[in-house]
Amino acid sequence: QVQLIESGGGLVQAGASLTLSCAASRRDFKTIGWFRQAPGKERDFVADISVLDGSTNLGDSVKGRFAISRDNARSMVYLQMNSLKPEDTAVYYCVAAYTHQSKPLRVGEVDYWGQGTQVTVSS
């Protein structure tokens, strides 16, 4: 079965850093990324990365603070989150798609969703 397994979430103080990991069971995805969802809100784009060439997109709210990277040999994708703010509090979902575009991944383009990992940032 295709699986995306997130890890690394937790409770941190504002200004702290946290790294999320996503392990993918397949190597043929073209895009892997992250969405997040706060309670009562829609899922928002966070970041994505091209599996083939490593090009990335970041959501406007996280540019300059977050970075996405990949380790194709290990089928892993990472989300490095720095300078965390309380408004970053959300469930973070690893996502994968069989297609890739230069613009940010849209929800409707996601083929697989991970189970989500909670990130809570206290003030």
Side-chain angles (χ1 to χ4, degrees):
Q1 291 183 324
V2 174
Q3 288 185 303
L4 298 171
I5 302 176
E6 305 99 327
S7 62
L11 172 64
V12 299
Q13 298 292 124
S17 296
L18 195 63
T19 299
L20 305 182
S21 300
C22 176
S25 65
R26 295 179 66 99
R27 296 179 180 267
D28 57 348
F29 296 121
K30 291 187 177 180
T31 307
I32 300 179
W34 296 88
F35 281 75
R36 66 186 183 185
Q37 185 172 28
K41 300 182 67 176
E42 296 181 348
R43 294 186 180 187
D44 292 326
F45 175 79
V46 177
D48 67 32
I49 188 166
S50 168
V51 175
L52 294 179
D53 64 21
S55 60
T56 63
N57 292 295
L58 291 172
D60 289 341
S61 64
V62 303
K63 287 180 179 177
R65 298 188 298 120
F66 290 12
I68 186 169
S69 62
R70 79 207 200 291
D71 183 346
N72 285 352
R74 298 181 63 191
S75 297
M76 297 288 291
V77 171
Y78 307 96
L79 182 68
Q80 176 66 49
M81 305 184 293
N82 301 312
S83 301
L84 283 163
K85 305 174 181 179
E87 51 263 45
D88 295 317
T89 295
V91 176
Y92 284 70
Y93 295 91
C94 183
V95 302
Y98 289 115
T99 61
H100 181 261
Q101 300 181 26
S102 60
K103 62 182 180 180
L105 190 67
R106 296 176 62 87
V107 169
E109 297 171 329
V110 173
D111 292 302
Y112 296 95
W113 294 84
Q115 80 283 358
T117 185
Q118 177 71 46
V119 173
T120 302
V121 184
S122 62
S123 60

